[in-house]
Amino acid sequence: MFCRGGTPWPPHCSLYARVGRPRSAAPTKNMNRFVLLIVILGSTSVSAQDITTLEKIGPVVSVQRTDKGVTLNCHDNSQVQISILAPDLIRVRASFTKPIPARDHSWAIAKENWTTPRWNVSETSDVVTITTDELEVVIRRSPLLIEFRDARTHQLINADEHPMSYDAGGRLASMIFDPKAGMFVAASKKLGFDEHFYGLGEKAARLDKRRSSFVNWNSDTPGYIEGKDPIYQTIPFYMGLQRGIAYGIFFDNSYRSYFDFGKSSQQRAWFGAEGGELNYYFFYGPSIKKILGRYADLTGHMPLPPLWALGNQQSRWSYYPDSMVEEVVNEYRKRDLPLDVVHLDIDYMNGYRVFTFNKERFPDPKALTDKLGRQGVKVVTIVDPGIKHPPDKNERYHAFDQGLEKNFFQRRRNGDLFVPRVWPGESVFVDYTLPEARRWWGDLHRVYTDNGIAGIWNDMNEPSDFVDQTGKNQLDVVSYDEGEKSTHAKNRNTFALLMARATYEGLERLRPDRRPYVITRAAYAGIQRYATMWTGDTNSTWDALALNIPMFTSLGLSGEPFVGSDIGGFIGRGNGELLVRSYQVSFLAPFCRNHKAIDGYDQEPWRFGKYYEDIIRKYLKLRYTLLPFLYTTLEEAHRSGVPPFRPLVLNYQDDPNTYNLDDQFMVGNDLLVAPILKPDVSKRLVYLPAGLWYDYWTNKKYTGGTMISVEAPLDVVPMFVRGGAMIPVGPSLNYVGEKPFDPITFNIYPDESGAASGTLYEDDGLSPAYKTGVFRRTTFSARRGPRGIVTSIERQEGTYNAGPRKFNFVEVK
Ligand code: GLC
């Protein structure tokens, strides 16, 4: 929620009255002025920077071999460490004009102890060459330029265009958030003539990021539109793809960072940050899938959420009192609409005090969760980082009192408590870099787990501050940061990561036999270890809907597999058509939740009439029958880092027709979906990659490698199945666990040669036992023979006893 010193953002004018925020006389004008300022500031900071004017790292004067790689000593006393973590993963760490510091810490990194693979180094007077089984790193000594080549073909993958640079002269000081906190550092790479760029986390942008530039600075940006940058999250990881060959770069630096993929120059793609180290990891594919696997190894694999998290979810700012929550759930059940989760937004609390319930609105939360539980519905509550600072010092509020006593709250450099303003008015934030504070925060969630709350929704964690959204009000806020006592310039972007971590670890301790379910708005790389995410305060517009696909797929290409958006859009008034088309995108997204702003028109599935409701029911029911398939693709994401919701380029990276295709997507390897993203349209072109494809609805066969035109009246989302797939489908359900997945029907879609294969993943859906092998992954195959289709079990893994369930095999003809 963005709200600036009494200047409300227009769509929320009415709601500020309710939450005690003053109305502005001319909000639209003020807002426009503010947005303009941001645009000017934003664009100045990126394009006005000419990183070629910065100091360049000096030439190499000596090379030291270490156990893990080499250290290069430079003429200007700079040092560069090249470490080999895996045959396809190299770390580059530079320290300008001084030796590499001993301290080496990152909140993003999950794996530090890599077993150094086989490698070699050779030196000539011009170059130092490091070779692994997959990569050749060629370091030119003067000027110092690094090239990455394929070890087998020696083909160039990525090369410095310019030596690594640093702003010793303070040229960029005027644009830097906090010049005292750091010096601008940058790396510059040659831009390939036909190079495409993917990833970079949550950006309000298209899939291929070529010719664009971006800033990372977690920001509360309600009603964002395409091009708004930055928004909520920072994932400084991208992949380049050229001639079908992909590499990845993870610039692990939490300061405000910049990525330019050939916008300011035709020669160069560069990245830099306003402080910290020039510290990046280079991944070699050549496949995107392999890079995503390595990125997950480095920054953490997404744990499996409970299976019910794949169920349909309904939210509203805010459902209260308890009887209204019951009414919503009853309505779902009465109308035969599937539902697994209902969300309680900020009004469930006592005056926005986190870890409390409002006694009038929710007198007995446990009775409520029990009752809804009997209807198969779980409750998720929102928890914001702002702990109310009681205006009256005699008021007792346990979260504030305890945190103050333990000294867990953020303070300014002069020792004063940092007091931002958020929903509760004056508030305080926890210093989540303190391990004991994280533990305390996690333990505070006992009030939720004791009351049967099933999951936690973390919001406002950029962290948003109504006093000033740019972070200036937080400039001198000091965090413990493993003893470094660093300031906001470094810690803003990791705040949400650490809050989600504290929440996740708390839920793990409080309910060790259950998988935590945490949702977050803001993030830094590594967030997938702790939280699923949604794309914040979108608009109820067709433009916003069209952004869903590039945003979900880009997040998937950035190591965040469990994503979704407010179905129907959050801000403004939609209509039945928009809502239906929105479900036709999200019914296959991992996070499937309809949510709406407090002052928006209601948009539960039935609100626009039976015609639309019937179509929405059809898609929600379809989602539930596809749960065995969706859960199998989710487990694949957990294990391999490859997300369920995919751009076509992820499955077909050799096919240039997919490189900027972002109005269609795939789920796993097998389903291709091409939604309608405009009003009053009932026909569209769909690109089918090479191979045989089946229309999901009619079973009509198509030969791919071409664009086809298909009909898509409002009740139809064009959907195709890849020839060669076996899709496991379960019974119709209104919530997860209503019935067992029995029977499971494999719909077999043979390829041109009559063959197909598929996988089914099963576990208990709730406990962490899968982590110790208590799961069952079964791989099936099918082949059309003279007497019909013959199926067989190719492989079974895991120790889970899935019980006696019937498998049906049906050939689709
Ligand atoms: C923020 C969230 C939104 C929530 C609201 C009130 O705007 O993004 O989802 O409903 O705050 O908590």
Side-chain angles (χ1 to χ4, degrees), residues 234-288:
T234 296
I235 313 288
F237 168 66
Y238 73 90
M239 286 179 282
L241 175 70
Q242 186 159 232
R243 294 183 299 274
I245 292 172
Y247 67 88
I249 287 184
F250 171 41
F251 177 35
D252 186 10
N253 182 315
S254 65
Y255 287 78
R256 183 154 70 185
S257 58
Y258 299 81
F259 286 78
D260 183 315
F261 302 117
K263 181 161 188 192
S264 59
S265 142
Q266 313 241 18
Q267 279 78 47
R268 158 178 346 112
W270 67 266
F271 51 88
E274 294 182 2
E277 291 184 7
L278 187 62
N279 167 34
Y280 70 92
Y281 295 81
F282 185 88
F283 301 76
Y284 182 36
S287 93
I288 298 176

Side-chain angles (χ1 to χ4, degrees), residues 18 25 39 58 69 86 126 130 148 155 221 226 280 282 503 538 549 554 578 610 620 643 649 660-661 675 703 773 790:
R18 299 181 64 168
V39 169
D126 294 337
I130 295 172
F148 295 92
Q155 195 179 341
T221 49
E226 184 177 343
Y280 70 92
F282 185 88
T503 307
T538 54
I549 299 175
S554 295
L578 178 67
K610 183 169 180 317
L620 289 178
V649 63
N660 49 38
L661 200 58
T703 303
V790 181

